């Protein structure tokens, strides 16, 4: 390309404006760039672009939302407003009065009563719905009065409870209790713990142990309180504490969570100062460089290197925030992207930090009352676990 254009530039010594625009268009089309004028402003702070992209000869349909976080706010909401359950992105967005939304974190997708359980960290309105896993990337959001702050980071947490000056560690939060585990259940999970009989369940209210139920299951979770449910070896530990008098009704009980943060340097000083957190896999771009961490986050090679529908988010160099969906699994219409292709495309749009969210059949973008992408499931839009929604900030009086 350079050899073709250099002689003309050297020979004539100038380029007509029309020729320069044409040249830039050709270069950007070949490289997969998207011009600013591709975006149309639909609301204050909300710009939308639909891009017919090509990777060599393969078509890729892309939908982009570019957001001014001083004019909109971002929130995470889970299906049915509980830690388990499934609901479409469009339904969540409609219930919450959103102008736009995308599907968000990975989740358990099966026919069990635990379907919709987040497969990684999930925090909504300062309440922890699910613990982190595999040191995977997460998106952090905090809505201030003038602006929404967003950060990406890898997150690890450790949770434990102190009972009469003795410490017991927790294996998980608001999820199916497996053998030899102690799981904390809060009222955002469900009406009850949904556990099978045979364990031991410690009910806490007001910072004290209210009940100790041995051999029962599906204990009612008190509003504002929680239940610690143990099975197998973890149950045996609690039974031994009972026998020694270390565990009694009326004893004070206090929960603690330690956060091992990575590299968040802007916004609130600690990851849990952010009110909403959702999970993803993996990191795509960090500090202005493509840095794909699928191996560190224990994703599979097929997940990384096969073209799939994708949903991604990014912080842009100009301070704006980008939401992106890539349709896939539709030969001749849209083939999807590998993680490398996704990262390169985001980088071409000016992304300085970016991460991949749940994709495949979950990939959905909702805008102004309708789904604007084409989900890959034959039945259409899939029910998902949680979504990131966009709402408009109310103008301040006097401005």
């Amino acid at each position: 390309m350079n050899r073709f254009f250099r002689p003309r530039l050297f020979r004539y010594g100038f380029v007509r404006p029309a020729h320069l625009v044409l040249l830039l268009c050709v270069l950007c089309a070949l490289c997969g760039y998207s011009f600013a004028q591709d975006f149309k402003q639909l609301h204050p702070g909300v710009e939308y672009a639909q891009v017919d992209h090509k990777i060599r000869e393969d078509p890729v349909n892309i939908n982009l939302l570019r957001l001014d976080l001083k004019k909109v706010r971002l929130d995470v909401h889970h299906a049915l407003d509980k830690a388990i359950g499934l609901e479409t992105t469009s339904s969540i967005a409609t219930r919450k009065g959103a102008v736009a939304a995308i599907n968000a974190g990975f989740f358990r997708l099966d026919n069990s009563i635990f379907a919709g359980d987040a497969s990684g960290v999930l925090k909504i309105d300062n309440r922890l719905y699910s613990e982190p896993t595999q040191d995977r990337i997460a998106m952090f959001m905090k809505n201030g009065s003038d602006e929404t702050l967003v950060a990406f980071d890898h997150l690890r947490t450790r949770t434990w409870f102190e009972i009469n000056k003795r410490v017991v560690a927790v294996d998980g939060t608001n999820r199916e209790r497996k053998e030899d585990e102690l799981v904390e259940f809060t009222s955002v999970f469900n009406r009850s713990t949904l556990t099978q009989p045979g364990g031991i369940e410690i009910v806490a209210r007001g910072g004290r142990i209210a009940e100790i139920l041995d051999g029962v299951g599906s204990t009612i979770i008190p509003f504002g309180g929680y239940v610690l449910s143990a099975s197998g070896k973890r149950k045996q530990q609690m039974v031994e504490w009972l026998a020694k008098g270390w565990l009694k009704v009326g004893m004070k009980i206090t929960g603690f969570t330690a956060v091992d943060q990575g590299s968040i340097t802007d916004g609130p000083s600690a990851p849990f100062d952010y009110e909403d957190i959702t999970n993803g896999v993996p990191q795509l771009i960090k500090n202005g460089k493509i840095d794909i961490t699928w191996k560190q986050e224990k994703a599979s090679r097929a997940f990384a290197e096969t073209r799939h529908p994708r949903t991604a988010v990014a912080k842009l160099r100009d301070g704006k925030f980008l939401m992106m969906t890539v349709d896939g699994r539709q030969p001749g219409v849209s083939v999807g992207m590998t993680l490398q292709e996704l990262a390169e495309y985001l980088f071409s749009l000016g992304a300085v930090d970016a991460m991949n969210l749940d994709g495949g059949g979950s990939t959905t973008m909702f805008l102004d009352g309708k789904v604007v992408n084409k989900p890959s499931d034959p039945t259409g839009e899939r029910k998902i676990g949680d979504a990131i929604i966009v709402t408009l900030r109310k103008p301040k009086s006097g401005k």
Side-chain angles (χ1 to χ4, degrees), residues 288-307:
K289 296 181 180 179
I290 292 177
D291 185 6
I292 305 174
T293 57
W294 66 266
K295 291 182 180 178
Q296 298 93 308
E297 298 184 37
K298 296 179 174 57
S300 70
R301 183 175 296 277
F303 172 78
E305 298 182 355
T306 302
R307 287 177 175 165

Side-chain angles (χ1 to χ4, degrees), residues 84 87 114 121 222 224 243 258-259 271 294 322 353 361 373 392:
I84 55 174
E87 186 178 3
F114 301 101
V121 66
V259 180
W294 66 266
L322 189 76
D353 292 289
N373 75 308
L392 302 178

Side-chain angles (χ1 to χ4, degrees), residues 37-323:
Q37 56 261 36
D38 289 336
F39 284 89
K40 296 180 180 179
Q41 181 171 311
L42 303 182
H43 303 280
V46 180
E47 298 173 285
Y48 170 69
Q50 197 283 322
V51 181
D52 294 322
H53 182 64
K54 278 198 172 183
I55 303 174
R56 292 178 289 278
E57 297 301 317
D58 297 320
V60 183
N61 292 339
I62 299 170
N63 285 274
L64 302 170
L65 279 174
R66 191 167 60 186
L67 307 171
D68 183 341
L69 296 182
K70 293 181 179 179
K71 296 181 179 179
V72 303
R73 60 175 284 153
L74 305 178
D75 293 275
V76 175
H77 289 286
H78 195 275
L80 311 179
D81 293 328
K82 292 289 184 181
I84 55 174
L86 299 168
E87 186 178 3
T88 62
T89 301
S90 59
S91 176
I92 296 172
T94 301
R95 283 197 300 109
K96 299 300 180 179
V99 296
I102 55 172
N103 67 293
F106 290 79
F107 62 96
R108 179 169 175 172
L109 181 62
D110 57 23
N111 294 319
S112 76
I113 57 176
F114 301 101
D117 174 35
S119 299
V121 66
L122 181 64
K123 183 185 180 189
I124 299 173
D125 293 337
N126 289 311
R127 302 182 73 181
L128 187 64
Y129 280 51
S130 177
E131 78 275 12
T133 182
Q134 308 285 11
D135 193 23
R136 289 179 170 171
I137 195 68
M139 176 182 169
F140 302 75
M141 287 149 276
K142 185 175 180 66
N143 288 296
S145 58
D146 298 315
E147 183 178 6
T148 298
L149 299 176
V150 173
F152 304 124
D153 205 353
H154 301 270
L155 183 67
R156 296 180 298 275
T157 61
R158 293 171 288 118
T159 298
W160 68 93
F161 285 82
E162 186 177 285
I163 304 172
N164 197 28
K165 298 183 180 180
R166 287 178 173 83
V167 171
V168 58
V170 171
D171 297 300
T173 301
N174 292 327
R175 62 168 173 78
E176 180 182 11
R177 186 197 70 196
K178 299 177 183 177
E179 189 63 22
D180 300 325
E181 284 192 332
L182 189 151
V183 175
E184 174 195 12
F185 293 96
T186 67
S187 57
V188 300
F189 175 71
N190 192 63
R191 182 173 178 269
S192 76
T193 60
L194 301 180
T195 50
Q196 295 296 318
I200 188 169
E201 305 207 309
I202 303 165
V203 182
R205 297 189 190 94
R208 294 193 177 273
I209 296 175
E211 297 178 87
I212 300 173
L213 306 171
D214 189 2
V216 304
S218 208
T219 297
I220 300 299
I221 304 169
F223 182 79
Y226 51 88
V227 176
L228 299 181
S229 179
S231 66
K233 295 177 180 178
R234 300 307 307 277
K235 173 188 174 179
Q236 187 58 38
Q237 179 188 13
M238 295 295 95
V239 169
E240 290 173 1
W241 283 26
L242 272 170
K244 294 178 180 180
W246 297 349
L247 181 63
K248 295 180 180 179
V249 171
M251 279 186 172
K252 184 178 180 180
I253 181 170
T254 307
F256 301 89
T257 297
V259 180
D260 300 325
Q261 71 183 87
S263 57
I264 290 180
T265 57
D266 56 348
S269 58
F272 265 34
D273 287 341
Y274 289 79
E275 63 202 41
D276 289 351
I277 308 174
T278 191
N279 69 84
V281 181
Q283 171 186 291
L284 299 171
I285 299 171
K286 182 176 181 178
N287 296 332
K289 296 181 180 179
I290 292 177
D291 185 6
I292 305 174
T293 57
W294 66 266
K295 291 182 180 178
Q296 298 93 308
E297 298 184 37
K298 296 179 174 57
S300 70
R301 183 175 296 277
F303 172 78
E305 298 182 355
T306 302
R307 287 177 175 165
H308 293 293
R310 305 285 185 181
T311 303
V313 284
K315 296 171 69 175
L316 301 178
R317 189 172 291 108
D318 62 4
K320 292 185 178 180
F321 185 75
L322 189 76
M323 291 179 165

